[in-house]
């Protein structure tokens, strides 16, 4: 009986491991294709060993028109919108976290509803509005919309992280004459560094890979970000430059990877409260 039970457990464990390996392969194989195809002079859709290692694909894409200008545009759009999102989310989450009101719950539910709105459903009225207020085909107008589209979920995340900072620390600062804004800047935000890092990374990544918004709101080719210019590698009649597409994908992914590496320590750290509220 004991042997049968052990056999069943082993079988279930092996089945679970096999399932996890299948899921891992589904994520790893596209990455392997990108790396191999970027170095393959005859890249195709199949994952295969390169016919020969070459850097010609990178030489073809590392030009101002194809890569550098779109990447700079992406950095301006996503960096500016991320900064605006984090600042506005912190200012909006603070009163929701620290002050009790009968409007808090309806407001949070409204925010939660706003996160579920598909971006395609609101682009037509947004486009019409941008035309009326002369924000169409402008970098700052696209930044505003990027920030507005990410703000609901950013507020929700920021508020939950902010709830983890004890209010007693702020009350001590208020006793010393600090204002609510000063306590937010000097106490709450430094202590919830991991939360700010999570909101920053999430907002930046969601904007960095967004194709539809800049494609609709920007008209001038020189202002297009990399998420839109990558479409240029898909030619007419099904012709695709797979090697150049893979090389561009690697370069395009680099800023996001660097951002994660730079703030990985903040993501891994806990709230630095220690024994501040004890004793």
């Amino acid at each position: 009986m004991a042997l049968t039970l052990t056999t069943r457990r082993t079988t279930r464990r092996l089945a679970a491991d096999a399932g996890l390996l299948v899921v891992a392969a589904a994520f790893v194989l596209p990455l392997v294709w990108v790396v191999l195809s970027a170095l393959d002079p005859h890249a195709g859709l199949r994952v295969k060993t390169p016919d020969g290692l070459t850097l010609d694909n990178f030489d073809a894409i590392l030009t101002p028109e194809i890569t550098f200008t779109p990447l700079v545009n992406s950095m301006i759009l996503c960096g500016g919108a991320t900064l605006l999102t984090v600042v506005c989310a912190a200012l909006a989450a603070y009163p929701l976290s620290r002050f009790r009101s009968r409007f808090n719950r309806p407001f949070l539910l409204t925010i939660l509803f706003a996160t579920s709105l598909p971006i395609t459903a609101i682009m037509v009225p947004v486009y019409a509005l941008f035309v009326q207020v002369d924000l169409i085909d402008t970098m700052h107008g696209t930044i505003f919309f990027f920030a507005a589209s990410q703000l609901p979920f950013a507020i929700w995340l920021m508020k939950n992280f902010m709830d983890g900072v004890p209010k007693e620390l702020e009350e001590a600062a208020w006793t010393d004459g600090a204002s609510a804004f000063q306590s937010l800047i000097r106490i709450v935000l430094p202590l919830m560094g991991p939360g700010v890092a999570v909101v920053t990374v999430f907002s930046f990544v969601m904007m960095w890979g967004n194709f539809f918004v800049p494609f609709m709101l920007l008209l001038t080719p020189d202002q297009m970000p990399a998420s839109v210019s990558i479409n240029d590698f898909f030619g007419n009649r099904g012709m695709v430059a797979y090697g150049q597409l893979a090389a561009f994908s690697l370069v395009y992914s680099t800023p996001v990877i660097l951002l994660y590496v730079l703030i990985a320590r903040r993501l891994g750290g806990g709230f630095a409260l220690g024994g501040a509220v004890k004793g």
Side-chain angles (χ1 to χ4, degrees), residues 30 43 53 74 80 116 130 140 142 148 150 155 164 207 213 224:
L53 299 181
S74 292
S116 63
F130 271 44
H140 59 277
T142 307
Q150 293 299 322
I155 293 175
M207 298 173 192
V213 171
M224 291 297 179

Side-chain angles (χ1 to χ4, degrees), residues 72-130:
V72 171
N73 293 337
S74 292
M75 293 298 297
I76 294 174
L77 287 174
C78 301
T82 299
L83 178 62
L84 185 60
T85 299
V86 172
V87 171
C88 293
L91 295 176
Y94 183 74
L96 293 173
S97 174
R98 289 301 186 255
F99 303 108
R100 296 292 176 261
S101 171
R102 62 180 180 178
F103 299 107
N104 280 15
R105 180 175 175 80
F107 185 74
L108 287 173
L109 292 177
T110 302
I111 291 177
L112 185 62
F113 171 75
T115 61
S116 63
L117 290 175
I119 196 71
T120 53
I122 61 176
M123 279 309 299
V124 172
V126 166
Y127 185 88
L129 174 64
F130 271 44

Side-chain angles (χ1 to χ4, degrees), residues 29-160:
L29 283 178
L31 299 179
V32 173
W33 177 88
V34 169
V35 175
L36 295 180
S37 297
L39 302 174
D40 191 348
H42 306 291
L45 282 175
R46 293 188 304 161
V47 178
K48 64 183 181 68
T49 304
D51 298 333
L53 299 181
T54 180
L55 296 178
D56 291 344
N57 293 322
F58 290 96
D59 291 337
I61 67 161
L62 293 179
T63 63
E65 297 81 8
I66 297 177
T67 300
F68 298 131
T69 299
L71 281 179
V72 171
N73 293 337
S74 292
M75 293 298 297
I76 294 174
L77 287 174
C78 301
T82 299
L83 178 62
L84 185 60
T85 299
V86 172
V87 171
C88 293
L91 295 176
Y94 183 74
L96 293 173
S97 174
R98 289 301 186 255
F99 303 108
R100 296 292 176 261
S101 171
R102 62 180 180 178
F103 299 107
N104 280 15
R105 180 175 175 80
F107 185 74
L108 287 173
L109 292 177
T110 302
I111 291 177
L112 185 62
F113 171 75
T115 61
S116 63
L117 290 175
I119 196 71
T120 53
I122 61 176
M123 279 309 299
V124 172
V126 166
Y127 185 88
L129 174 64
F130 271 44
V131 171
Q132 293 293 326
V133 298
D134 200 23
L135 285 178
I136 199 71
D137 197 27
T138 61
M139 297 288 281
H140 59 277
T142 307
I143 288 175
F144 289 151
F145 183 75
F146 261 147
S149 62
Q150 293 299 322
L151 196 55
F153 195 70
I155 293 175
W156 187 272
L157 278 179
M158 193 77 75
K159 190 261 181 187
N160 289 331

